[in-house]
Amino acid sequence: MRKFYAKVIAVLVILSLLGTLIAGCGSKNVSDARKKVLKVSMGLGEAEWKVMKEDIFPPFEQKYGVKIEPLQIEAGDLIKKLDAMHKANAMDIDIITQDNMQLAPLVAKGLVEDLSQYRDMIPKEVIPSLVPVGEFDGKLYFMPYRPNVEIAFYNEDKFNEYGLKLPTNWDELLQVAKTFKEKEGIGRVIIKENLGPDSTVQMFDLIRSAGGDPTVLNDEGSIKAFTLLKELQPYLSPDSKKADWNTPVEYLAKDSVYLVENWPYTANVLVEQYGKKNILAYHGWAGPVKESHVLGGEVIGIPTGAPNKEMAIKFMEYLMSKEVQEKLVTKLGWPSMRSDAYGKVADWQKPYFEAINEALKHAEPRPNLVYWADVDKAINGALREIIFEGKDIKTTLDKYHNMIEEAKKAAESK
Amino acid sequence: MRKIDISEKISNTAYIPIAIIAAILMIIPVYILFITSFAVPSDILKPHPDFFITRFTLDHWKDVFLSGNIWPPFKKSFVVATMTTIIAIIIAAPAAYVIARMPSKIKYAVVLSLFFTRMFPDVGIALPIAVEFIKLNLMDTYLGLVMAHLIVNLPFAAWILVGTFETIPKDLEEAALVDGTSKLTALMRIIMPIALPGIAVTAIFVWLNSWNEFTYALYLTISDRTLPLQTYYYVQRGGIFDSATYAAILTIPVMLVTFFLQKYMKSGYLAGAVKG
């Protein structure tokens, strides 16, 4: 019996020693070794990682004798991880590429370095509207990297079957939605109304297309946008309430939705992975004043306290280079941040690439507001009350306009 | 002759259909998951996929296994779940035994205090805990995840085991003590074997919780993901078939662990011991 207890105690001792050993791995030697590694965080799909690992990283690794460690971290999760590492004073990521829809929390929490002193690194060939995306209060926190824009995906078979033309304005959009509903008894057009960041993007497009300002929210353009949405509502797909950036892929793949605006990666999954060649895309529709799309995409940032900042700066410059941008166009069909980077996209990508480039002509960045979360809440609060609860448009928008104004004052007084 | 009341009659006749319905409700999602992972895309990518598919393909499974992305997260999840379970049982079983033998008033206070850490949602306490763990260089380590999972599981494990030890008559160990065994020997030789069904239930519970854990894994991993994080990645990126395959792989060890441990959950242990 004594032997048995001795074994139990031995196991416990070994476990605690093992724990101490692992916990104690923080010596100066490790820190020196860390300088030979560049930890790069990106949120990419499998095919995109393949290009990064085979075509983008190796030339940089060879030139600077560094090993790039790729980290797959989704945009929302990146904020949590950086926050935890920052609070622990143990940052372990050197460079990030981040969705430009999720920049404000990084700046507000002090998780990224001020890159203003490196402003000259931005190539002069950059598309000008991409630079302000990375600026907050006059400081440059993020460098341009990859522009992106939502395009309209449609089911070619169904449009042909019902003799429909692609809608280019709000009236035609309403007509198309009505026709699908009449023919099939259920709505087949999606306007994202998930009361999250995705519906905010959609409302931005509609409000700006009508000449309004989504951060004002009770102007004439905003009223027109909500009026259109209320009129469209009976003819929309029930999936509109669940639609985010991810779900339209499934809806289009299963032919349960025939028209939806979504991010271009949709084509990669539908065409490359699922072989759905009947899903095509175009740039989308205009409103009564203009065509407008939120300028999405990714920017480059350096986390506060990045252990290998010097190398990260070099890698940042490399990502913005013509060499890399041309590869990204050619290999992934990503539109370039530079006006001089021309690549040759694969045949299957051409129609989608054209749609993206056309939509980019009408792309507008979102304003970088420290009270962005309040704007987001206000837009979705108005959406919920007007569309789902049937409340009066003007009264509701006035209420949420006041909410944004209060948040603005609070932010300015800090 | 014994009178059978109406409720007993209903339960005697209705339990089979109710059990069948409950089983179907539980099995259908798993069935859909597995057929999606074996389906030819065109059979699933339509408005109303057939419930029974006739064409099967191993392509999605091949893709997942050949990608080289499955084994590292699988290994990490398996090692962490198993280590968490072993350590949780080693710590919780003796603690629960002591608590079970305490006077009632103290016992309930101790059991209640066990749940103090469980009174806050994981998403609320995960960040401060992760910060402390990162300070200790526990980011991306097995130990960090095991310790985080123990925070979640130890209170439940102890609580389940307190209930188990309470059902074991005190007379049994007293009889052993009278026969001259030490208290520790009585615990290991008499009490623990009788408590085996409860320990098995606790082990399954802890293992499953750790295997599926997401929040702490999200904070405490950057390079080497666990399997739930890996599955989440594919779900986020819109790959129906890869997601289904990863999720199917995620469920297989759950089935195996449950299958192998459920044999210890037979009720005969206690009866045999009392008679003996």
Side-chain angles (χ1 to χ4, degrees), chain A residues 156-411:
Chain A
E156 188 188 31
D157 297 343
K158 292 294 175 180
F159 272 78
N160 289 341
E161 186 181 336
Y162 299 126
L164 291 168
K165 285 183 182 170
L166 297 174
T168 57
N169 57 47
W170 284 6
D171 291 338
E172 290 172 7
L173 175 65
L174 185 60
Q175 200 49 52
V176 164
K178 275 184 182 174
T179 306
F180 283 136
K181 179 75 184 272
E182 280 163 14
K183 299 284 184 188
E184 304 208 350
I186 186 166
R188 299 296 190 186
V189 174
I190 276 187
I191 298 286
K192 291 173 190 158
E193 298 172 336
N194 71 340
L195 303 182
D198 302 277
S199 46
T200 307
V201 169
Q202 194 93 67
M203 290 313 299
F204 252 73
D205 286 359
L206 291 175
I207 292 170
R208 280 171 163 171
S209 303
D213 181 348
T215 63
V216 172
L217 203 57
N218 66 346
D219 55 16
E220 199 185 334
S222 302
I223 293 170
K224 277 184 187 168
F226 277 93
T227 306
L228 166 83
L229 198 53
K230 210 163 182 177
E231 205 177 344
L232 259 175
Q233 196 58 28
Y235 311 107
L236 292 180
S237 159
D239 289 327
S240 289
K241 291 178 186 173
K242 293 184 287 180
D244 57 17
W245 64 275
N246 185 16
T247 47
V249 173
E250 187 186 336
Y251 304 145
L252 288 163
K254 291 188 171 181
D255 294 343
S256 65
V257 162
Y258 305 153
L259 180 65
V260 55
E261 284 188 328
N262 205 34
W263 301 101
Y265 89 99
T266 308
N268 292 35
V269 181
L270 287 172
V271 179
E272 274 208 309
Q273 290 184 30
Y274 300 165
K276 295 286 290 185
K277 290 177 182 164
N278 62 332
I279 308 296
L280 299 178
Y282 76 114
H283 58 91
W285 46 85
V289 172
K290 62 180 175 180
E291 183 174 340
S292 178
H293 303 279
V294 166
L295 178 66
E298 289 184 333
V299 292
I300 307 165
I302 296 186
T304 307
N308 208 354
K309 187 179 170 186
E310 197 183 325
M311 196 57 72
I313 298 287
K314 285 176 185 157
F315 189 64
M316 184 170 77
E317 191 171 26
Y318 173 69
L319 286 180
M320 291 189 285
S321 68
K322 190 177 174 189
E323 172 198 358
V324 169
Q325 291 291 318
E326 281 191 335
K327 278 183 189 170
L328 294 176
V329 173
T330 306
K331 305 275 179 181
L332 291 171
W334 287 2
S336 175
M337 56 161 271
R338 298 174 65 117
S339 56
D340 63 340
Y342 306 105
K344 193 182 172 193
V345 300
D347 283 346
W348 75 265
Q349 284 178 323
K350 278 179 184 162
Y352 306 99
F353 192 65
E354 281 166 17
I356 297 164
N357 282 327
E358 185 58 32
L360 272 175
K361 290 177 188 166
H362 308 280
E364 297 176 79
R366 292 185 324 172
N368 283 335
L369 306 170
V370 285
Y371 55 96
W372 174 255
D374 297 281
V375 174
D376 195 48
K377 269 185 209 162
I379 290 173
N380 284 307
L383 186 64
R384 189 189 70 248
E385 290 190 20
I386 294 167
I387 304 302
F388 302 146
E389 296 170 15
K391 291 187 180 164
D392 177 64
I393 294 176
K394 182 74 173 78
T395 319
T396 310
L397 291 183
D398 283 344
K399 175 180 145 189
Y400 283 103
H401 164 79
N402 292 336
M403 184 179 145
I404 293 174
E405 284 301 304
E406 279 172 26
K408 188 178 175 182
K409 276 180 201 161

Side-chain angles (χ1 to χ4, degrees), chain A residues 44 46 69 81 245-246 274, chain B residues 218 221 223 233 235-236 240:
Chain A
L44 301 175
E46 288 289 287
E69 189 177 322
K81 293 197 184 199
W245 64 275
N246 185 16
Y274 300 165
Chain B
L218 190 64
T221 59
S223 301
Y233 162 61
V235 171
Q236 281 284 89
I240 297 172

Side-chain angles (χ1 to χ4, degrees), chain A residues 1 4-5 8 11-12 15 18-20 22-26 39 43-46 48-49 69 71-74 77 80-81 83-85 87-90 92-93 245-246 249-250 253-256 265 269 273-274 276, chain B residues 41 44-49 67 69 83 87 90 127 130-132 134-143 182 184-185 188-189 214 217-219 221-223 225 229-230 232-242:
Chain A
M1 197 64 198
F4 174 76
Y5 296 132
V8 171
V11 167
L12 289 173
L15 282 175
L18 195 66
T20 317
I22 297 168
C25 291
K39 293 197 178 182
L44 301 175
E46 288 289 287
E48 292 166 321
W49 272 123
E69 189 177 322
L71 308 171
Q72 164 63 35
I73 305 177
E74 297 293 339
D77 302 334
K80 292 175 196 158
K81 293 197 184 199
D83 195 17
M85 284 188 269
K87 283 185 170 135
N89 197 22
D92 198 29
I93 297 176
W245 64 275
N246 185 16
V249 173
E250 187 186 336
K254 291 188 171 181
D255 294 343
S256 65
Y265 89 99
V269 181
Q273 290 184 30
Y274 300 165
K276 295 286 290 185
Chain B
I44 296 292
L45 299 175
K46 53 187 184 181
H48 303 290
S67 71
N69 293 333
M83 289 296 287
I87 297 172
I90 289 174
L127 177 62
V131 168
E132 293 307 315
I134 293 169
K135 281 180 187 169
L136 294 168
N137 277 346
L138 292 174
M139 180 69 126
D140 259 341
T141 62
Y142 286 87
L143 183 68
S182 71
L184 213 53
T185 311
M188 298 309 295
R189 291 256 173 104
F214 186 84
L218 190 64
Y219 277 107
T221 59
I222 52 169
S223 301
R225 280 172 282 184
L229 284 179
Q230 184 76 355
Y232 159 75
Y233 162 61
Y234 282 95
V235 171
Q236 281 284 89
R237 291 278 150 187
I240 297 172
F241 301 99
D242 287 342

